Coordinates of all heavy atoms in Angstrom, one line a residue:
M43 N -4.4 -13.2 -12.8 CA -4.1 -13.6 -11.5 C -4.8 -12.7 -10.5 O -5.0 -11.5 -10.8 CB -2.6 -13.4 -11.3 CG -2.2 -13.7 -9.8 SD -0.4 -13.2 -9.6 CE -0.3 -13.8 -7.9
K44 N -5.3 -13.3 -9.4 CA -6.0 -12.5 -8.4 C -5.7 -13.2 -7.1 O -5.7 -14.4 -6.9 CB -7.5 -12.7 -8.7 CG -8.4 -11.9 -7.7 CD -9.8 -11.8 -8.2 CE -10.5 -13.1 -7.9 NZ -11.9 -13.1 -8.1
H45 N -5.3 -12.3 -6.1 CA -4.9 -12.8 -4.7 C -5.6 -11.9 -3.7 O -5.5 -10.7 -3.7 CB -3.4 -12.6 -4.6 CG -2.8 -12.9 -3.3 ND1 -2.7 -14.2 -2.8 CD2 -2.4 -12.1 -2.3 CE1 -2.3 -14.2 -1.6 NE2 -2.0 -13.0 -1.2
R46 N -6.4 -12.6 -2.8 CA -7.1 -11.9 -1.8 C -6.2 -11.3 -0.8 O -5.3 -11.9 -0.2 CB -8.1 -12.9 -1.0 CG -9.0 -12.2 -0.1 CD -9.8 -13.3 0.7 NE -10.8 -12.6 1.6 CZ -12.0 -12.5 1.3 NH1 -12.6 -12.9 0.2 NH2 -12.9 -11.9 2.2
L47 N -6.4 -10.0 -0.5 CA -5.5 -9.2 0.5 C -6.1 -9.1 1.8 O -5.5 -9.3 2.8 CB -5.2 -7.8 -0.1 CG -4.5 -7.8 -1.5 CD1 -4.5 -6.4 -2.0 CD2 -3.1 -8.4 -1.3
A48 N -7.4 -8.7 1.9 CA -8.1 -8.5 3.3 C -9.5 -8.2 3.1 O -10.0 -7.8 2.0 CB -7.4 -7.3 4.0
N49 N -10.3 -8.4 4.1 CA -11.7 -8.0 4.1 C -11.8 -6.5 4.1 O -11.0 -5.9 4.8 CB -12.5 -8.6 5.3 CG -12.6 -10.1 5.2 OD1 -12.7 -10.6 4.2 ND2 -12.5 -10.7 6.4
L50 N -12.7 -5.9 3.4 CA -12.8 -4.4 3.3 C -13.0 -3.9 4.7 O -12.5 -2.8 5.0 CB -13.9 -4.0 2.4 CG -13.8 -4.4 0.9 CD1 -15.0 -3.9 0.1 CD2 -12.5 -3.9 0.4
D51 N -13.8 -4.5 5.6 CA -14.1 -4.0 6.9 C -12.8 -3.9 7.8 O -12.8 -3.2 8.8 CB -15.1 -4.9 7.7 CG -16.5 -4.8 7.0 OD1 -16.7 -3.8 6.3 OD2 -17.3 -5.7 7.3
D52 N -11.8 -4.6 7.4 CA -10.5 -4.6 8.2 C -9.5 -3.5 7.7 O -8.5 -3.3 8.4 CB -9.8 -5.9 8.1 CG -10.6 -7.0 8.8 OD1 -11.4 -6.7 9.7 OD2 -10.5 -8.2 8.4
I53 N -9.8 -2.8 6.6 CA -8.9 -1.8 6.1 C -9.3 -0.5 6.6 O -10.4 0.0 6.4 CB -9.0 -1.8 4.5 CG1 -8.6 -3.3 4.0 CG2 -8.1 -0.8 3.9 CD1 -8.8 -3.4 2.5
P54 N -8.3 0.1 7.3 CA -8.6 1.4 8.1 C -8.7 2.6 7.2 O -8.0 2.7 6.1 CB -7.5 1.5 9.0 CG -6.3 0.8 8.3 CD -6.9 -0.3 7.5
G55 N -9.4 3.6 7.6 CA -9.5 4.9 6.9 C -8.4 5.9 7.5 O -8.1 6.9 6.9
T56 N -7.9 5.5 8.7 CA -6.8 6.2 9.3 C -5.7 5.3 9.6 O -5.9 4.2 10.1 CB -7.3 6.9 10.6 OG1 -8.4 7.7 10.4 CG2 -6.1 7.6 11.3
G57 N -4.5 5.5 9.1 CA -3.4 4.6 9.3 C -3.5 3.5 8.2 O -4.2 3.7 7.2
T58 N -2.7 2.4 8.4 CA -2.7 1.4 7.4 C -2.8 0.0 8.1 O -2.6 -0.1 9.3 CB -1.4 1.4 6.5 OG1 -0.3 1.1 7.4 CG2 -1.2 2.7 5.8
L59 N -3.2 -1.0 7.3 CA -3.1 -2.4 7.8 C -2.0 -3.1 7.0 O -1.9 -3.0 5.8 CB -4.5 -3.1 7.4 CG -4.5 -4.6 7.7 CD1 -4.5 -4.9 9.2 CD2 -5.8 -5.2 7.1
L60 N -1.1 -3.6 7.7 CA 0.1 -4.3 7.2 C -0.2 -5.8 7.0 O -0.6 -6.5 8.0 CB 1.3 -4.1 8.0 CG 2.7 -4.3 7.4 CD1 2.8 -3.4 6.2 CD2 3.8 -4.0 8.4
V61 N -0.2 -6.3 5.8 CA -0.6 -7.7 5.5 C 0.5 -8.4 4.8 O 1.3 -7.8 4.0 CB -1.9 -7.9 4.8 CG1 -3.0 -7.2 5.5 CG2 -1.8 -7.3 3.4
P62 N 0.7 -9.7 4.9 CA 1.7 -10.5 4.2 C 1.4 -10.5 2.7 O 0.2 -10.5 2.3 CB 1.6 -11.9 4.8 CG 0.4 -12.0 5.6 CD -0.1 -10.6 5.8
F63 N 2.4 -10.6 1.9 CA 2.2 -10.6 0.4 C 3.3 -11.4 -0.3 O 4.4 -10.8 -0.5 CB 2.1 -9.1 -0.1 CG 1.8 -9.0 -1.6 CD1 0.6 -9.3 -2.0 CD2 2.8 -8.6 -2.4 CE1 0.3 -9.1 -3.4 CE2 2.5 -8.4 -3.8 CZ 1.3 -8.7 -4.2
F64 N 3.1 -12.6 -0.5 CA 4.1 -13.5 -1.2 C 5.5 -13.4 -0.6 O 6.5 -13.1 -1.2 CB 4.2 -13.2 -2.7 CG 2.9 -13.4 -3.4 CD1 2.1 -12.3 -3.8 CD2 2.4 -14.6 -3.7 CE1 0.9 -12.5 -4.5 CE2 1.2 -14.8 -4.4 CZ 0.5 -13.8 -4.8
G65 N 5.5 -13.5 0.8 CA 6.8 -13.5 1.5 C 7.3 -12.1 1.8 O 8.3 -11.9 2.4
R66 N 6.5 -11.1 1.4 CA 6.8 -9.7 1.8 C 5.6 -9.1 2.5 O 4.7 -9.8 2.9 CB 7.2 -8.9 0.5 CG 8.5 -9.5 -0.1 CD 8.8 -8.8 -1.4 NE 10.0 -9.4 -2.0 CZ 11.1 -8.8 -2.2 NH1 11.3 -7.6 -1.8 NH2 12.1 -9.5 -2.7
E67 N 5.5 -7.8 2.6 CA 4.4 -7.1 3.2 C 3.9 -6.0 2.3 O 4.7 -5.4 1.6 CB 4.8 -6.6 4.6 CG 5.2 -7.6 5.6 CD 5.6 -7.0 6.9 OE1 6.3 -6.0 6.9 OE2 5.1 -7.5 7.9
I68 N 2.6 -5.7 2.5 CA 2.1 -4.5 1.8 C 1.2 -3.7 2.8 O 0.6 -4.3 3.8 CB 1.3 -4.8 0.6 CG1 0.1 -5.7 0.9 CG2 2.1 -5.3 -0.5 CD1 -0.8 -5.9 -0.3
H69 N 1.1 -2.4 2.7 CA 0.2 -1.6 3.4 C -1.1 -1.4 2.7 O -1.1 -1.2 1.5 CB 0.8 -0.1 3.6 CG 2.0 0.0 4.5 ND1 1.9 0.2 5.8 CD2 3.3 -0.1 4.2 CE1 3.1 0.2 6.4 NE2 4.0 0.1 5.4
L70 N -2.2 -1.5 3.4 CA -3.5 -1.3 2.8 C -4.2 -0.2 3.6 O -4.0 -0.1 4.8 CB -4.4 -2.6 3.0 CG -3.9 -3.9 2.4 CD1 -4.9 -5.0 2.7 CD2 -3.7 -3.7 0.9
W71 N -4.9 0.7 2.9 CA -5.6 1.8 3.6 C -6.8 2.2 2.7 O -6.9 1.9 1.5 CB -4.7 2.9 3.9 CG -4.2 3.8 2.8 CD1 -4.7 4.9 2.3 CD2 -3.0 3.4 2.0 NE1 -3.9 5.4 1.3 CE2 -2.9 4.5 1.0 CE3 -2.1 2.4 1.9 CZ2 -1.9 4.5 0.1 CZ3 -1.1 2.4 1.0 CH2 -1.0 3.5 0.1
R72 N -7.7 3.0 3.2 CA -8.8 3.5 2.5 C -8.8 5.0 2.6 O -8.5 5.6 3.6 CB -10.1 3.0 3.2 CG -11.4 3.4 2.6 CD -12.6 2.7 3.3 NE -12.6 2.7 4.7 CZ -13.0 3.7 5.5 NH1 -13.3 4.9 4.9 NH2 -12.9 3.6 6.8
K73 N -9.1 5.6 1.4 CA -9.3 7.0 1.3 C -10.7 7.3 0.8 O -10.9 7.1 -0.4 CB -8.2 7.6 0.4 CG -8.4 9.1 0.1 CD -8.1 9.9 1.3 CE -8.2 11.4 0.9 NZ -8.3 12.3 2.1
G74 N -11.6 7.7 1.6 CA -13.0 7.7 1.2 C -13.5 6.4 0.8 O -13.4 5.4 1.6
E75 N -14.0 6.2 -0.4 CA -14.5 4.9 -0.9 C -13.4 4.2 -1.7 O -13.7 3.1 -2.3 CB -15.7 5.2 -1.8 CG -16.9 5.8 -1.1 CD -17.4 4.9 0.1 OE1 -17.5 3.7 -0.1 OE2 -17.5 5.5 1.2
R76 N -12.2 4.7 -1.7 CA -11.1 4.2 -2.5 C -10.2 3.4 -1.7 O -9.7 3.9 -0.6 CB -10.4 5.3 -3.3 CG -9.4 4.8 -4.3 CD -9.7 5.5 -5.6 NE -9.0 4.8 -6.6 CZ -8.4 5.4 -7.6 NH1 -8.4 6.6 -7.7 NH2 -7.8 4.6 -8.5
Y77 N -9.8 2.2 -2.1 CA -8.9 1.4 -1.4 C -7.5 1.4 -2.1 O -7.5 1.4 -3.3 CB -9.4 -0.1 -1.3 CG -10.6 -0.2 -0.4 CD1 -11.9 0.0 -1.0 CD2 -10.5 -0.4 0.9 CE1 -13.0 0.0 -0.2 CE2 -11.6 -0.4 1.7 CZ -12.9 -0.3 1.2 OH -14.0 -0.3 1.9
R78 N -6.4 1.4 -1.3 CA -5.1 1.5 -1.8 C -4.2 0.4 -1.2 O -4.4 -0.1 -0.1 CB -4.5 2.8 -1.5 CG -5.2 4.0 -2.0 CD -5.0 4.1 -3.5 NE -5.4 5.4 -4.0 CZ -5.3 5.7 -5.2 NH1 -4.9 4.9 -6.2 NH2 -5.7 6.9 -5.6
A79 N -3.2 0.0 -2.0 CA -2.3 -1.0 -1.5 C -0.9 -0.6 -2.0 O -0.7 -0.2 -3.2 CB -2.6 -2.4 -2.1
A80 N 0.1 -0.6 -1.2 CA 1.5 -0.3 -1.5 C 2.5 -1.2 -0.8 O 2.3 -1.6 0.3 CB 1.8 1.2 -1.1
A81 N 3.5 -1.5 -1.6 CA 4.6 -2.4 -1.0 C 5.2 -1.7 0.2 O 5.4 -0.5 0.2 CB 5.6 -2.7 -2.1
N82 N 5.5 -2.6 1.2 CA 6.2 -2.1 2.4 C 7.7 -2.1 2.1 O 8.5 -2.8 2.8 CB 5.9 -2.9 3.6 CG 6.5 -2.3 4.9 OD1 6.8 -1.1 4.9 ND2 6.7 -3.2 5.9
A83 N 8.1 -1.4 1.1 CA 9.5 -1.3 0.7 C 9.8 0.0 0.0 O 9.1 0.3 -1.0 CB 9.8 -2.5 -0.3
C84 N 10.7 0.7 0.6 CA 11.0 2.0 0.0 C 11.7 1.8 -1.4 O 12.6 0.9 -1.5 CB 12.0 2.7 1.0 SG 12.5 4.3 0.3
P85 N 11.3 2.5 -2.4 CA 11.9 2.3 -3.7 C 13.3 2.8 -3.8 O 14.0 2.5 -4.8 CB 11.0 3.2 -4.6 CG 10.3 4.1 -3.7 CD 10.2 3.5 -2.4
H86 N 13.8 3.4 -2.8 CA 15.2 3.9 -2.8 C 16.2 2.7 -2.6 O 16.9 2.3 -3.6 CB 15.5 5.0 -1.8 CG 16.9 5.4 -1.7 ND1 17.6 5.6 -0.5 CD2 17.8 5.7 -2.7 CE1 18.8 6.0 -0.8 NE2 18.9 6.1 -2.1
M87 N 16.1 2.1 -1.4 CA 17.0 0.9 -1.2 C 16.2 -0.2 -0.4 O 16.9 -1.1 0.2 CB 18.2 1.3 -0.4 CG 19.2 2.2 -1.2 SD 20.7 2.6 -0.3 CE 21.4 1.1 -0.1
G88 N 14.9 -0.2 -0.5 CA 14.1 -1.3 0.1 C 13.8 -1.2 1.6 O 13.4 -2.1 2.2
G89 N 14.0 0.0 2.2 CA 13.7 0.1 3.6 C 12.2 -0.1 3.9 O 11.4 0.1 3.0
P90 N 11.9 -0.4 5.2 CA 10.5 -0.6 5.6 C 9.8 0.8 5.7 O 10.5 1.8 5.9 CB 10.6 -1.3 6.9 CG 11.9 -0.8 7.5 CD 12.8 -0.7 6.3
L91 N 8.5 0.8 5.5 CA 7.8 2.1 5.5 C 6.9 2.1 6.8 O 6.1 1.2 6.9 CB 7.0 2.3 4.2 CG 7.8 2.4 3.0 CD1 6.9 2.4 1.8 CD2 8.7 3.6 3.0
E92 N 7.0 3.1 7.5 CA 6.2 3.3 8.7 C 5.1 4.3 8.5 O 5.3 5.3 7.8 CB 7.0 3.8 9.9 CG 8.2 2.8 10.2 CD 9.2 3.5 11.2 OE1 9.0 4.6 11.5 OE2 10.1 2.7 11.6
C93 N 3.9 4.0 9.0 CA 2.8 4.9 8.8 C 2.8 5.9 9.9 O 2.7 5.6 11.1 CB 1.4 4.1 8.8 SG 0.0 5.2 8.5
K94 N 3.0 7.2 9.5 CA 3.0 8.3 10.5 C 2.3 9.5 10.0 O 2.7 10.1 8.9 CB 4.5 8.7 10.8 CG 5.3 7.7 11.5 CD 6.7 8.2 11.8 CE 7.5 7.2 12.6 NZ 8.9 7.6 12.8
G95 N 1.3 10.0 10.7 CA 0.7 11.2 10.4 C 0.2 11.4 8.9 O 0.4 12.4 8.3
G96 N -0.4 10.3 8.4 CA -1.0 10.4 7.0 C 0.1 10.2 6.0 O -0.2 10.5 4.8
E97 N 1.3 9.7 6.3 CA 2.3 9.4 5.4 C 2.9 8.1 5.6 O 2.9 7.6 6.8 CB 3.4 10.5 5.5 CG 3.0 11.9 5.0 CD 4.2 12.8 5.1 OE1 5.0 12.8 6.1 OE2 4.4 13.5 4.1
L98 N 3.6 7.5 4.6 CA 4.5 6.4 4.8 C 5.9 6.9 4.8 O 6.2 7.6 3.8 CB 4.3 5.4 3.7 CG 2.9 4.6 3.6 CD1 2.8 3.7 2.4 CD2 2.7 3.8 4.9
V99 N 6.6 6.6 5.9 CA 7.9 7.3 6.0 C 9.0 6.2 6.1 O 8.8 5.2 6.8 CB 7.9 8.1 7.4 CG1 9.3 8.7 7.6 CG2 6.8 9.1 7.3
C100 N 10.0 6.3 5.4 CA 11.2 5.4 5.4 C 12.2 5.9 6.5 O 12.7 7.0 6.3 CB 11.8 5.3 4.1 SG 13.3 4.2 4.1
P101 N 12.5 5.1 7.5 CA 13.4 5.5 8.5 C 14.9 5.5 8.1 O 15.7 6.0 8.8 CB 13.1 4.5 9.7 CG 12.7 3.3 9.0 CD 11.9 3.7 7.8
W102 N 15.1 4.8 6.9 CA 16.5 4.7 6.6 C 17.1 6.0 6.1 O 18.2 6.4 6.5 CB 16.7 3.6 5.5 CG 16.5 2.2 6.0 CD1 16.1 1.8 7.2 CD2 16.7 1.0 5.3 NE1 16.0 0.5 7.3 CE2 16.4 -0.1 6.1 CE3 17.1 0.8 4.0 CZ2 16.5 -1.4 5.7 CZ3 17.2 -0.6 3.6 CH2 16.9 -1.6 4.4
H103 N 16.5 6.7 5.1 CA 17.0 7.9 4.6 C 16.0 9.0 4.5 O 16.2 10.0 3.8 CB 17.7 7.7 3.2 CG 18.6 6.5 3.2 ND1 18.2 5.3 2.6 CD2 19.9 6.4 3.6 CE1 19.3 4.5 2.7 NE2 20.2 5.1 3.3
G104 N 14.8 8.8 5.1 CA 13.8 9.9 5.2 C 12.9 10.1 4.1 O 12.2 11.1 4.0
A105 N 12.7 9.1 3.1 CA 11.7 9.3 2.1 C 10.3 9.3 2.7 O 10.1 8.6 3.7 CB 11.8 8.2 1.0
R106 N 9.4 10.1 2.1 CA 8.0 10.3 2.7 C 7.0 10.2 1.5 O 7.3 10.8 0.5 CB 7.9 11.6 3.4 CG 8.9 11.8 4.5 CD 8.8 13.2 5.1 NE 7.8 13.2 6.1 CZ 8.0 12.9 7.4 NH1 9.2 12.5 7.8 NH2 7.0 12.9 8.2
F107 N 5.9 9.5 1.8 CA 4.8 9.4 0.7 C 3.5 9.7 1.3 O 3.1 9.1 2.3 CB 4.9 8.0 0.1 CG 6.2 7.5 -0.3 CD1 7.0 6.8 0.6 CD2 6.7 7.8 -1.6 CE1 8.3 6.4 0.2 CE2 8.0 7.4 -1.9 CZ 8.8 6.7 -1.1
S108 N 2.7 10.5 0.6 CA 1.4 10.9 1.1 C 0.4 9.7 0.9 O 0.3 9.2 -0.2 CB 0.9 12.1 0.4 OG -0.5 12.3 0.7
L109 N -0.4 9.3 1.9 CA -1.4 8.3 1.8 C -2.6 8.9 1.0 O -3.4 8.2 0.4 CB -1.9 7.8 3.1 CG -0.9 7.0 4.0 CD1 -1.5 6.7 5.3 CD2 -0.5 5.7 3.3
D110 N -2.7 10.2 0.9 CA -3.9 10.8 0.2 C -3.6 10.9 -1.3 O -4.5 10.6 -2.1 CB -4.1 12.2 0.8 CG -4.7 12.2 2.1 OD1 -5.3 11.2 2.6 OD2 -4.7 13.3 2.8
T111 N -2.4 11.3 -1.6 CA -2.1 11.6 -3.1 C -1.3 10.5 -3.7 O -1.1 10.5 -4.9 CB -1.4 12.9 -3.2 OG1 -0.1 12.8 -2.6 CG2 -2.2 14.1 -2.6
L112 N -0.7 9.6 -2.9 CA 0.3 8.6 -3.4 C 1.6 9.2 -3.9 O 2.4 8.5 -4.4 CB -0.3 7.7 -4.5 CG -1.6 7.0 -4.1 CD1 -2.0 6.2 -5.3 CD2 -1.4 6.1 -2.9
R113 N 1.7 10.5 -3.7 CA 3.0 11.1 -4.2 C 4.0 11.2 -3.1 O 3.7 11.3 -1.9 CB 2.6 12.5 -4.7 CG 1.8 12.5 -5.9 CD 1.4 14.0 -6.3 NE 0.4 13.9 -7.4 CZ 0.7 14.2 -8.6 NH1 1.9 14.6 -8.9 NH2 -0.3 14.2 -9.5
R114 N 5.2 11.2 -3.5 CA 6.3 11.4 -2.6 C 6.3 12.9 -2.1 O 6.1 13.8 -3.0 CB 7.6 11.0 -3.2 CG 8.0 11.9 -4.3 CD 9.3 11.5 -5.0 NE 9.2 12.0 -6.3 CZ 10.1 11.8 -7.2 NH1 11.2 11.1 -6.9 NH2 10.0 12.3 -8.4
T115 N 6.5 13.1 -0.9 CA 6.6 14.4 -0.4 C 8.1 14.7 -0.2 O 8.5 15.9 0.0 CB 5.9 14.6 1.0 OG1 6.2 13.6 1.9 CG2 4.4 14.5 0.7
E116 N 8.9 13.6 -0.2 CA 10.3 13.8 0.0 C 11.0 12.4 -0.4 O 10.5 11.4 0.0 CB 10.7 14.1 1.4 CG 12.1 14.6 1.6 CD 12.3 15.2 3.0 OE1 11.4 15.9 3.4 OE2 13.4 14.9 3.5
G117 N 12.0 12.4 -1.3 CA 12.7 11.1 -1.6 C 12.1 10.5 -2.9 O 11.6 11.1 -3.8
S118 N 12.2 9.1 -2.9 CA 11.8 8.3 -4.1 C 10.3 8.1 -4.3 O 9.6 8.4 -3.4 CB 12.5 7.0 -4.1 OG 13.9 7.1 -3.9
R119 N 9.9 7.4 -5.4 CA 8.5 7.1 -5.6 C 8.0 5.9 -4.9 O 8.8 5.0 -4.6 CB 8.3 6.9 -7.1 CG 8.4 8.1 -7.9 CD 8.1 7.8 -9.4 NE 8.0 9.1 -10.1 CZ 7.5 9.2 -11.3 NH1 7.1 8.1 -11.9 NH2 7.4 10.3 -11.8
L120 N 6.7 5.8 -4.6 CA 6.1 4.7 -4.0 C 5.7 3.6 -5.0 O 5.4 3.9 -6.1 CB 4.8 5.2 -3.3 CG 4.1 4.3 -2.3 CD1 5.0 4.0 -1.1 CD2 2.8 5.0 -1.8
M121 N 5.9 2.3 -4.6 CA 5.5 1.2 -5.5 C 4.0 0.8 -5.2 O 3.7 0.2 -4.2 CB 6.4 0.0 -5.2 CG 7.7 0.1 -5.7 SD 8.7 -1.4 -5.6 CE 9.4 -1.1 -3.9
V122 N 3.1 1.3 -6.0 CA 1.6 1.1 -5.9 C 1.2 -0.2 -6.6 O 1.7 -0.4 -7.7 CB 0.9 2.3 -6.4 CG1 -0.6 2.1 -6.3 CG2 1.3 3.5 -5.6
L123 N 0.3 -1.0 -6.0 CA -0.1 -2.2 -6.6 C -1.5 -2.1 -7.2 O -2.4 -1.4 -6.6 CB -0.1 -3.4 -5.5 CG 1.2 -3.6 -4.8 CD1 1.0 -4.5 -3.7 CD2 2.3 -4.0 -5.7
P124 N -1.8 -2.8 -8.3 CA -3.2 -2.8 -8.8 C -4.1 -3.6 -7.9 O -3.8 -4.8 -7.6 CB -3.0 -3.4 -10.2 CG -1.8 -4.2 -10.1 CD -0.9 -3.6 -9.1
T125 N -5.3 -3.1 -7.6 CA -6.3 -3.9 -6.8 C -7.7 -3.8 -7.4 O -8.0 -2.9 -8.2 CB -6.3 -3.3 -5.4 OG1 -6.6 -1.9 -5.4 CG2 -4.9 -3.5 -4.7
R126 N -8.5 -4.6 -6.9 CA -10.0 -4.6 -7.2 C -10.8 -5.0 -6.0 O -10.4 -6.0 -5.3 CB -10.2 -5.5 -8.4 CG -11.7 -5.4 -8.9 CD -11.9 -6.2 -10.1 NE -11.8 -7.6 -9.9 CZ -11.3 -8.5 -10.7 NH1 -10.8 -8.1 -11.9 NH2 -11.2 -9.8 -10.4
V127 N -12.0 -4.4 -5.8 CA -12.9 -4.8 -4.8 C -13.8 -5.8 -5.4 O -14.4 -5.6 -6.4 CB -13.7 -3.6 -4.2 CG1 -14.8 -4.0 -3.3 CG2 -12.8 -2.6 -3.5
E128 N -14.0 -6.9 -4.6 CA -14.9 -8.0 -5.1 C -15.4 -8.8 -3.9 O -14.6 -9.2 -3.1 CB -14.2 -8.9 -6.1 CG -15.0 -9.9 -6.8 CD -14.2 -10.6 -7.9 OE1 -13.6 -10.0 -8.7 OE2 -14.2 -11.9 -7.8
D129 N -16.7 -9.1 -3.8 CA -17.2 -9.9 -2.8 C -16.8 -9.5 -1.4 O -16.5 -10.3 -0.5 CB -16.9 -11.4 -3.0 CG -17.3 -11.9 -4.3 OD1 -18.4 -11.5 -4.7 OD2 -16.7 -12.8 -4.9
G130 N -16.8 -8.2 -1.1 CA -16.5 -7.7 0.2 C -15.0 -7.8 0.6 O -14.7 -7.7 1.8
A131 N -14.1 -7.9 -0.3 CA -12.7 -8.0 0.0 C -11.9 -7.3 -1.1 O -12.4 -6.9 -2.1 CB -12.3 -9.5 0.0
L132 N -10.7 -7.0 -0.7 CA -9.8 -6.3 -1.6 C -8.8 -7.4 -2.2 O -8.3 -8.1 -1.4 CB -9.0 -5.2 -0.9 CG -8.1 -4.3 -1.8 CD1 -9.0 -3.5 -2.8 CD2 -7.3 -3.4 -1.0
Y133 N -8.6 -7.3 -3.5 CA -7.8 -8.3 -4.2 C -6.7 -7.6 -4.9 O -6.9 -6.5 -5.5 CB -8.6 -9.1 -5.2 CG -9.5 -10.1 -4.6 CD1 -10.8 -9.7 -4.2 CD2 -9.2 -11.4 -4.4 CE1 -11.7 -10.6 -3.7 CE2 -10.1 -12.3 -3.9 CZ -11.4 -11.9 -3.5 OH -12.3 -12.7 -3.0
Y134 N -5.5 -8.2 -4.9 CA -4.4 -7.8 -5.8 C -4.7 -8.5 -7.2 O -5.1 -9.6 -7.2 CB -3.1 -8.3 -5.3 CG -2.0 -8.3 -6.3 CD1 -1.4 -7.2 -6.7 CD2 -1.5 -9.5 -6.8 CE1 -0.4 -7.2 -7.6 CE2 -0.5 -9.6 -7.7 CZ 0.1 -8.4 -8.1 OH 1.1 -8.4 -9.1
T135 N -4.6 -7.7 -8.2 CA -4.9 -8.2 -9.5 C -3.7 -8.0 -10.5 O -3.0 -7.0 -10.3 CB -6.1 -7.6 -10.2 OG1 -5.9 -6.2 -10.3 CG2 -7.4 -7.9 -9.3
W136 N -3.5 -8.9 -11.4 CA -2.4 -8.7 -12.4 C -2.9 -9.4 -13.7 O -3.3 -10.5 -13.7 CB -1.2 -9.4 -11.9 CG 0.0 -9.3 -12.8 CD1 0.4 -10.2 -13.7 CD2 0.8 -8.2 -13.0 NE1 1.5 -9.8 -14.4 CE2 1.7 -8.5 -14.0 CE3 0.8 -6.9 -12.4 CZ2 2.7 -7.6 -14.5 CZ3 1.7 -6.0 -12.9 CH2 2.7 -6.3 -13.9
G137 N -2.7 -8.6 -14.8 CA -3.0 -9.1 -16.1 C -4.5 -9.4 -16.4 O -4.8 -10.1 -17.2
E138 N -5.4 -8.7 -15.7 CA -6.8 -8.9 -15.9 C -7.4 -7.7 -16.6 O -7.0 -6.6 -16.4 CB -7.6 -9.1 -14.6 CG -7.2 -10.4 -13.9 CD -8.0 -10.7 -12.7 OE1 -8.9 -9.9 -12.3 OE2 -7.8 -11.7 -12.1
Ligands
FES172 S1 15.8 3.2 1.6 FE1 14.2 4.5 2.0 S2 15.0 6.5 1.7 FE2 16.6 5.1 1.3

């Protein structure tokens, strides 16, 4: 399975781009030459994640995740999605 997420030129190196994803949303961002995608849902209880100062922050109970390391700096773990760059776009991939 492969699902186009966004053109690479639209994915920011600072902050995130929020895009629809099968009825939900995901954050996309770039760290150097590496592209990342993460569900806009806090793994604790599903709260939305806001991009603030290089982190995704959950306003519900304060979980925080680093955009650089993908690690939580406080609270639960981040749900990271598998992706691949192809033909100038970022794709979500599954089972390939
Ligand atoms: S739902 Fe995000 S910290 Fe609880």
Side-chain angles (χ1 to χ4, degrees):
M43 176 188 183
K44 185 171 76 174
H45 176 74
R46 187 183 182 102
L47 300 172
N49 291 326
L50 296 181
D51 292 344
D52 295 332
I53 301 172
T56 302
T58 65
L59 173 68
L60 202 55
V61 298
F63 185 72
F64 299 107
R66 297 179 183 244
E67 293 179 320
I68 58 173
H69 288 272
L70 304 178
W71 70 98
R72 179 174 48 80
K73 173 69 178 165
E75 297 302 313
R76 189 129 194 218
Y77 293 88
R78 298 289 197 179
N82 184 25
C84 178
H86 178 224
M87 291 181 66
L91 298 172
E92 301 169 355
C93 184
K94 291 182 177 176
E97 291 183 313
L98 293 176
V99 178
C100 179
W102 289 6
H103 311 102
R106 307 174 80 87
F107 309 92
S108 169
L109 292 176
D110 289 343
T111 65
L112 303 179
R113 293 175 188 253
R114 65 185 155 180
T115 52
E116 197 168 315
S118 303
R119 291 184 169 192
L120 192 60
M121 287 186 270
V122 177
L123 305 173
T125 59
R126 182 175 67 218
V127 171
E128 189 176 304
D129 300 328
L132 188 65
Y133 290 85
Y134 162 73
T135 60
W136 179 258
E138 293 186 0

